[in-house]
Amino acid sequence: MAQKPSYEALQKKIDALQKEVKRHRKREDVYWRIQERLTQIIDSIPIPTFVLDNDHNVIHYNPAMENLTGIARDEIYGTPNAWQAFYGAARPTMADLIVDGAPEQEIARYYRGKYRKSAVKAGAYEAEDFFPDIGDGGRWLYFTAAPLLDSDGTVLGALETLQDTTERRRAVQASLKSERRFRTFLDFAPYSILVFSVDGLVSYLNPAFTETFGWTLEELRGKRIPYVPPELEAENREHLRKLMEEKVIRRYETRRLTKDGRSLDVVWRASVYADSSGEPAGVLVILRDITQVKRIARNNEAMQRISLALPEYPELYELLDYVSGVIKELMETEGGLVILLDEQRQELILRGAAYDDTATQQRAKETRFAVDELVAGQVIRTGQPIILNDISGDFAIHVERDKKLGYQTRNLLLVPLKSQERTIGTLCAVNKKGSGFDQTDVDLLSMLAGTVVLSIENARFSAEIKKAYMEVSSLNRAKDKVINHLSHELKTPIAVLRTSLVTLEKRLQSLPQESWQPTIDRSRRSLDRLLEMQYQVYDIIQHKTYKTRTVLSNLLDQCSDLLEALIAEQIGEGPVVRQIREYIDNTYGARELIAEIIDLNEFVNRRLEYLKPAFAHREVEVITRLNSPPPVSIPREVLQKCFDGLLKNAIENTPDEGRVEILVGTKGPGTLLEVRDFGVGITPENQIRIFEGFFTTRVTMDYSSKKPYDFNAGGKGADLLRMKIFSERYGFDIELKSLRCPSLSRDSDVCPGRISACPACQSGDGCHRSAATRIALYFPLPAAPA
């Protein structure tokens, strides 16, 4: 029989049990305090959070979760299948999967691979996915879940956070869409754009940057761009420092290098952009290539400078040297040439040359080439520019040319010099310093050619005109000598012939007059014409001094006694010597004409009365319209010769039954004398040459067949030249206007000489309405005496 425990043993057991109960009560109290504290912590979390126990019941559910789901915690506590309770969809939460100890493959199946393990806590996961069956149009949700373990590592439950990231996702998508639009804009922007970090590492550059500078985004992403010239490194660092301080640089003109080493002039604009916290995140840079713009500006400035300078070089060779120097400077070459074509000899002349080497320059100017010996010949033939950066193609031509010039050619650029439809030569740039020639060089040199070709052509014409002028001047001097000699030599023969004719006429008086008088009249008429010509020539050259009179006077002075004795021996005593001396003075001496104050009305009336008998045989009506102008100051003999010549020319060019008008009047402050005929008129071509002297409008000059004042009597052409010389000598003006008869369009056409005999004048208007010639003399008012 078993022994019953003693009281003491029972009391000990009771005490032990009481202690155990107290311990369990204390532990339970701690547990509930922990639970309470955990609840407080979970409730204070702003992120929606809930906790499941091992039976998948919700045991914690914070206010943020209430706000997210719209379900109060009292409604959800102790509820399994939380997902269905939250969103009405039967599927486990991530916390359910962790409580069940689901393998990773199961989690991957539910979240379609859009999950990842936590790097902080073992057994924890996070995921973000789109759930189309939630809400209106679906929602984006972000999960984090971790197991709750006891001290032994036993899973007691799971804690899960749940965030609706739909709005953030939409904002991100909107931002990405905007970024895509912005990137599309940047991609199609015409200027080079790049984005780099505050450390200078490239994150973006657009196609325009690649097109301009050569680098692609793949080559430079995460790298620095090696495009700052070494000499500008310090300046670039200073501008970057300024950019970080001021956040923006609106314009910075500098230079940048391309991938292939070319240097470009650029305008650099930059702005610092910030992240969401306001801190600098990177730099946006816009680069505009202004190389061509600056080149055009420099070229325009150069063209303007050249255009202003061209008039300073009227001489051809000086102009060509200047243009050659401009080519050398503007094209940055070792040499510049102006090559002209000698069309007659078919040779190329290097008249304009500018080289760094003066010896080569001199040799070039002294060398001629056949057209086919230079590339310039091809340019002249085709009219097209040629670039030769590699001269190996026409090796023989280049070797022969360089041999003549003593120079080594590496590259060439030639453009044609075009004057209207003709190519007169080329401009040539030789040996470009640095790289070879390109299309921009062609455009620049062609622009220069277009600027200078007219000046070169004008200078060539000017040189030819000067040469022709020198030849004409030489011929004019020879002509003056001939006229001078003719005028001088005519005086003595004419004087002898006049005397002989008088003597012959006296001796023929015993014969029947009809047998010799016509011959004498014809001879006297021809002699008078010669005498008139001699007077006209004398008036033209009156201002010149001739030796004839001096020689005769000196001879007379030295031999007067001997001449007087010889004459006295033959004809008796008398003042013969004095008469001979007076005759020489009158015939050969230079007379000084004194100006007079002449009333034109009185002068015209008197001269007209004096001359009327000379043209009395003509049926020409002479009408005068005389007003009361101021008197004129001119030598009377000069005015007489002018008026007589005008009237004679007018009557000789007017057919019978026509009329001539003489007008005297006032014009401005001076006096006008005008003679107007309604005759055959003068062609426009002849009007240009009418004052040249000894120019006639008729093909022949049959002086002996017609008398003065006859229609078409003709003339020597000296009247108007003499009048022109008088006008320059005595200060009056001459004006000529003429309308040629429509029926006489050519000089060879002949007028019948009578209006009634002209078929074109049968209407009765005569020549008065169809043709007229007006020659007017204008005498300015004489200056008042000082």
Side-chain angles (χ1 to χ4, degrees):
M1 185 174 180
Q3 186 180 0
K4 291 183 180 180
S6 64
Y7 174 78
E8 289 82 4
L10 288 174
Q11 188 63 45
K12 287 181 179 179
K13 287 183 178 181
I14 292 172
D15 292 341
L17 288 173
Q18 288 178 344
K19 287 181 181 179
E20 184 69 22
V21 169
K22 288 182 179 179
R23 188 164 60 251
H24 279 289
R25 285 179 177 174
K26 186 177 181 181
R27 183 181 296 173
E28 183 178 358
D29 184 57
V30 170
Y31 171 78
W32 287 110
R33 285 201 299 269
I34 292 173
Q35 287 291 330
E36 184 179 1
R37 181 59 180 161
L38 179 60
T39 300
Q40 292 175 351
I41 292 173
I42 292 175
D43 286 347
S44 65
I45 295 174
I47 299 173
T49 307
F50 66 94
V51 179
L52 300 181
D53 61 13
N54 279 337
D55 296 325
H56 302 280
N57 296 317
V58 177
I59 60 174
H60 287 289
Y61 190 83
N62 69 353
M65 195 69 185
E66 290 181 321
N67 293 334
L68 176 64
T69 62
I71 301 174
R73 69 176 71 188
D74 295 337
E75 299 176 24
I76 199 70
Y77 274 153
T79 302
N81 301 321
W83 187 270
Q84 185 171 4
F86 295 158
Y87 297 110
R91 62 172 291 175
T93 66
M94 185 175 283
D96 289 321
L97 296 174
I98 291 176
V99 168
D100 289 342
E104 186 175 341
Q105 293 82 355
E106 184 75 6
I107 295 176
R109 182 175 68 84
Y110 274 105
Y111 292 97
R112 303 193 300 268
K114 299 179 180 179
Y115 75 98
R116 62 177 177 271
K117 291 181 178 180
S118 173
V120 178
K121 184 174 178 62
Y125 293 90
E126 57 183 275
E128 186 175 20
D129 201 359
F130 180 74
F131 297 91
D133 54 348
I134 299 177
D136 185 12
R139 309 294 289 178
W140 279 92
L141 300 177
Y142 174 73
F143 309 93
T144 63
L148 297 175
L149 306 174
D150 61 10
S151 58
D152 298 329
T154 303
V155 176
L156 301 177
L159 180 145
E160 183 172 345
T161 64
L162 180 65
Q163 299 180 64
D164 187 346
T165 59
T166 304
E167 297 304 323
R168 181 177 63 81
R169 274 281 185 170
R170 289 174 179 172
V172 170
Q173 289 176 350
S175 175
L176 291 175
K177 185 177 181 180
S178 175
E179 182 180 345
R180 284 194 297 270
R181 286 199 301 265
F182 183 63
R183 182 164 185 151
T184 301
F185 167 75
L186 295 182
D187 285 345
F188 282 92
Y191 299 144
S192 301
I193 298 176
L194 62 95
V195 179
F196 57 80
S197 67
V198 291
D199 296 328
L201 305 180
V202 174
S203 61
Y204 170 82
L205 56 83
N206 69 343
F209 183 94
T210 301
E211 182 180 348
T212 302
F213 293 93
W215 289 288
T216 64
L217 180 58
E218 289 71 22
E219 291 176 296
L220 293 179
R221 192 191 302 273
K223 301 177 183 178
R224 297 179 184 274
I225 308 176
Y227 71 159
V228 179
E231 65 274 15
L232 297 178
E233 289 284 0
E235 179 182 302
N236 185 63
R237 285 193 297 270
E238 176 60 24
H239 276 82
L240 287 176
R241 184 195 62 77
K242 181 180 179 182
L243 173 63
M244 291 303 171
E245 288 181 357
E246 300 180 2
K247 307 305 180 186
V248 64
I249 290 181
R250 303 192 181 280
R251 182 181 178 87
Y252 164 40
E253 193 169 315
T254 183
R255 287 184 294 110
R256 289 294 182 262
L257 300 177
T258 64
K259 184 178 179 180
D260 57 7
R262 292 177 295 113
S263 178
L264 301 181
D265 294 302
V266 298
V267 171
W268 193 85
R269 291 180 171 87
S271 177
V272 176
Y273 65 91
D275 58 17
S276 58
S277 64
E279 293 297 321
V283 177
L284 173 69
V285 176
I286 300 176
L287 293 159
R288 179 177 167 227
D289 180 9
I290 60 170
T291 306
Q292 188 68 11
V293 173
K294 293 190 71 172
R295 179 177 296 168
I296 291 173
R298 287 194 298 267
N299 293 348
N300 290 341
E301 182 182 355
M303 291 304 111
Q304 183 180 12
R305 173 169 52 86
I306 292 166
S307 299
L308 294 176
L310 288 177
E312 299 178 9
Y313 300 92
E315 297 296 331
L316 178 61
Y317 292 167
E318 293 180 0
L319 174 63
L320 298 182
D321 283 341
Y322 171 73
V323 173
S324 301
V326 169
I327 295 173
K328 179 175 172 292
E329 175 188 354
L330 201 59
M331 305 302 298
E332 297 180 354
T333 58
E334 295 178 4
L337 295 169
V338 180
I339 305 173
L340 298 182
L341 173 64
D342 185 335
E343 296 181 359
Q344 291 184 345
R345 302 175 64 176
Q346 284 298 295
E347 289 182 338
L348 298 175
I349 313 167
L350 282 60
R351 288 299 190 190
Y355 279 88
D356 290 344
D357 178 39
T358 55
T360 303
Q361 178 173 308
Q362 188 59 36
R363 283 193 298 271
K365 291 184 177 182
E366 297 170 352
T367 307
R368 283 176 171 259
F369 294 88
V371 173
D372 58 355
E373 287 184 324
L374 293 180
V375 181
Q378 181 180 348
V379 176
I380 293 173
R381 185 172 59 255
T382 63
Q384 299 298 321
I386 289 179
I387 294 178
L388 287 176
N389 285 323
D390 179 9
I391 64 171
S392 60
D394 296 317
F395 186 73
I397 290 181
H398 301 301
V399 167
E400 187 63 27
R401 177 201 59 230
D402 289 351
K403 183 178 178 181
K404 286 186 178 182
L405 297 180
Y407 186 74
Q408 181 63 46
T409 302
R410 299 190 308 275
N411 48 44
L412 287 171
L413 169 59
L414 300 98
V415 300
L417 278 171
K418 293 184 179 180
S419 177
Q420 296 180 345
E421 301 300 324
R422 191 167 57 98
T423 301
I424 65 173
T426 70
L427 298 187
C428 178
V430 183
N431 290 355
K432 187 172 180 65
K433 298 174 182 177
S435 59
F437 295 104
D438 55 27
Q439 187 59 40
T440 58
D441 295 317
V442 175
D443 296 340
L444 175 56
L445 196 57
S446 298
M447 185 188 304
L448 178 61
T451 302
V452 304
V453 64
L454 183 58
S455 295
I456 292 176
E457 190 79 326
N458 288 343
R460 290 183 75 180
F461 288 154
S462 177
E464 294 174 3
I465 290 172
K466 287 180 180 179
K467 181 180 178 182
Y469 174 77
M470 297 301 295
E471 294 175 355
V472 170
S473 297
S474 177
L475 291 175
N476 279 337
R477 287 192 294 271
K479 183 184 73 174
D480 288 345
K481 291 181 180 179
V482 171
I483 294 175
N484 179 11
H485 183 71
L486 176 64
S487 173
H488 167 252
E489 292 298 328
L490 280 176
K491 290 182 178 182
T492 300
I494 289 174
V496 172
L497 286 174
R498 288 183 66 187
T499 303
S500 300
L501 196 60
V502 171
T503 302
L504 180 61
E505 187 175 11
K506 289 180 180 179
R507 293 185 178 183
L508 291 175
Q509 291 295 329
S510 58
L511 298 175
Q513 188 173 1
E514 61 274 8
S515 64
W516 54 267
Q517 190 64 48
T519 302
I520 293 296
D521 291 342
R522 186 167 56 253
S523 300
R524 182 175 286 112
R525 188 165 59 248
S526 297
L527 188 60
D528 288 342
R529 283 181 174 272
L530 286 174
L531 185 62
E532 182 184 2
M533 182 189 296
Q534 188 273 323
Y535 287 155
Q536 291 172 341
V537 171
Y538 172 77
D539 286 334
I540 292 171
I541 62 173
Q542 182 182 0
H543 62 288
K544 298 182 179 179
T545 303
Y546 305 108
K547 297 181 180 180
T548 303
R549 174 178 175 275
T550 304
V551 172
L552 289 176
S553 297
N554 291 339
L555 181 62
L556 185 61
D557 289 339
Q558 296 172 10
C559 304
S560 59
D561 292 339
L562 178 60
L563 287 174
E564 188 173 357
L566 292 174
I567 292 171
E569 181 181 343
Q570 295 295 323
I571 62 174
E573 295 292 340
V576 179
V577 176
R578 180 176 55 80
Q579 294 176 2
I580 292 175
R581 188 187 301 277
E582 290 177 356
Y583 180 81
I584 291 173
D585 287 337
N586 291 333
T587 304
Y588 297 103
R591 293 171 295 163
E592 181 178 0
L593 301 178
I594 307 301
E596 303 178 34
I597 302 298
I598 300 175
D599 182 290
L600 272 186
N601 287 349
E602 180 184 353
F603 173 84
V604 168
N605 284 326
R606 288 187 177 182
R607 287 308 298 171
L608 199 55
E609 288 300 321
Y610 176 80
L611 294 173
K612 275 182 179 180
F615 60 86
H617 61 287
R618 292 296 310 283
E619 297 179 37
V620 176
E621 180 183 11
V622 179
I623 301 173
T624 59
R625 293 190 176 92
L626 309 179
N627 297 315
S628 300
V632 299
S633 176
I634 191 172
R636 185 174 294 273
E637 183 178 344
V638 171
L639 183 59
Q640 176 180 313
K641 290 177 179 179
C642 291
F643 178 80
D644 292 359
L646 290 177
L647 183 62
K648 182 171 177 290
N649 283 332
I651 292 176
E652 288 180 350
N653 284 282
T654 301
D656 285 336
E657 302 174 357
R659 77 169 185 263
V660 172
E661 296 179 354
I662 303 172
L663 295 85
V664 174
T666 301
K667 179 182 177 181
T671 300
L672 189 70
L673 170 60
E674 180 179 329
V675 177
R676 182 184 304 171
D677 71 73
F678 298 89
V680 297
I682 305 172
T683 63
E685 295 81 5
N686 289 338
Q687 290 181 47
I688 298 173
R689 303 172 56 198
I690 199 72
F691 288 103
E692 291 180 2
F694 299 99
F695 171 78
T696 64
T697 59
R698 303 292 302 164
V699 177
T700 60
M701 291 171 32
D702 189 5
Y703 300 139
S704 61
S705 63
K706 293 185 179 181
K707 297 187 296 183
Y709 294 96
D710 280 356
F711 179 67
N712 274 347
K716 286 82 51 197
D719 284 323
L720 292 178
L721 174 60
R722 178 172 66 176
M723 196 179 307
K724 182 70 174 177
I725 292 174
F726 281 156
S727 71
E728 295 173 356
R729 191 177 298 167
Y730 297 106
F732 61 89
D733 299 326
I734 304 177
E735 181 181 352
L736 167 68
K737 289 184 179 180
S738 184
L739 182 65
R740 180 72 169 177
C741 175
S743 301
L744 306 173
S745 58
R746 296 173 299 180
D747 289 338
S748 57
D749 294 336
V750 179
C751 173
R754 180 174 292 275
I755 292 177
S756 59
C758 178
C761 297
Q762 296 305 311
S763 62
D765 289 337
C767 296
H768 303 162
R769 296 182 181 273
S770 61
T773 298
R774 167 185 174 272
I775 302 180
L777 309 182
Y778 172 69
F779 301 90
L781 194 65

